[in-house]
Amino acid sequence: MIVGLTGGIGSGKSTVAQIFEVLGCAVYNSDERAKEMYYLPEVKQKVIEILGKEAYYYEGKINKDFISLKIFNDRSFLEKINAVIHPAVANDFKDFLSKHPNKLIIKESALLFEADLADKMDKIVLVTSPLKLKIERLKKRDNSSEEQITKRINSQLPDEEKIVKSDLVIINDEQTPLIPEVLEVYKKLSNA
């Protein structure tokens, strides 16, 4: 079974994914793998064609700040970059699947719905958090301004729309104990 694990930025889906991994699931982190795809020669060439040489530092590392600034301020750049990165991630995921037969697969992706990947999943698990808490987490994690964070959050579907499209929801509000919630979802997935 392939389970899509999604949630807006700062929702805590990576923490939930780690718990699933401890439970024995094979976890594929789409967002982290997407960053790695920028280093594939064919992807790098296309990114430079779209955003310019400034997308990479002289030593070849990606210039995350420059890329973020471009794609979160101009939707056309975001769409063009996604058209390059998403197919590369899809191929990488196929390779991942072949290495983990007979396992419960958790595909973690912030953009599961936005990238039209939901219909390729057997089940969808959504991690939600209050907006204020997401912003606090991101300020600590990324050292970003509230304005930058809000732009990133607004580039994703709102949780209200995602809830309707999801099979199971985990509320990560730092009030409800998270591990028991994930265990309950894991039991439901294992028995499906």
Side-chain angles (χ1 to χ4, degrees), residues 15-169:
T15 301
V16 170
Q18 289 172 341
I19 298 168
F20 277 122
E21 197 163 29
V22 168
L23 293 169
C25 301
V27 176
Y28 181 86
N29 184 319
S30 299
D31 303 333
E32 288 302 315
R33 293 301 301 152
K35 292 173 189 169
E36 295 300 315
M37 298 301 107
Y38 279 88
Y39 295 103
L40 296 174
E42 64 276 14
V43 170
K44 183 177 180 179
Q45 181 180 339
K46 290 177 184 175
V47 169
I48 290 171
E49 288 170 12
I50 295 166
L51 298 177
K53 291 182 181 179
E54 299 90 349
Y56 292 85
Y57 291 113
Y58 179 73
E59 65 273 10
K61 291 184 180 177
I62 61 172
N63 184 342
K64 293 179 193 173
D65 292 336
F66 175 81
I67 293 171
S68 293
L69 185 67
K70 294 286 271 190
I71 66 176
F72 291 117
N73 285 313
D74 186 332
R75 188 145 189 90
S76 68
F77 283 132
L78 177 62
E79 290 168 1
K80 289 174 185 174
I81 291 298
N82 284 345
V84 172
I85 299 298
H86 290 170
V89 172
N91 288 335
D92 188 61
F93 183 62
K94 285 179 192 172
D95 185 48
F96 179 86
L97 286 175
S98 70
K99 294 175 182 173
H100 297 91
N102 306 315
K103 281 240 181 188
L104 180 60
I105 305 291
I106 304 293
K107 183 174 186 177
E108 179 186 353
S109 175
L111 304 175
L112 195 72
F113 295 114
E114 294 87 342
D116 294 323
L117 300 172
D119 61 334
K120 295 176 177 75
M121 304 296 119
D122 297 310
K123 295 284 182 187
I124 307 287
V125 175
L126 173 67
V127 181
T128 66
S129 289
L131 180 60
K132 185 177 178 182
L133 187 55
K134 288 180 186 179
I135 291 170
E136 286 174 21
R137 288 176 182 153
L138 293 167
K139 280 182 178 178
K140 288 178 190 173
R141 186 188 82 186
D142 298 343
N143 201 23
S144 299
S145 72
E146 194 161 330
E147 182 184 348
Q148 291 170 314
I149 292 166
T150 302
K151 278 185 183 178
R152 292 175 72 188
I153 289 172
N154 290 339
S155 74
Q156 299 176 345
L157 280 178
D159 283 352
E160 297 76 31
E161 288 184 45
K162 292 178 182 180
I163 288 170
V164 176
K165 299 176 179 188
S166 300
D167 298 296
L168 299 158
V169 178

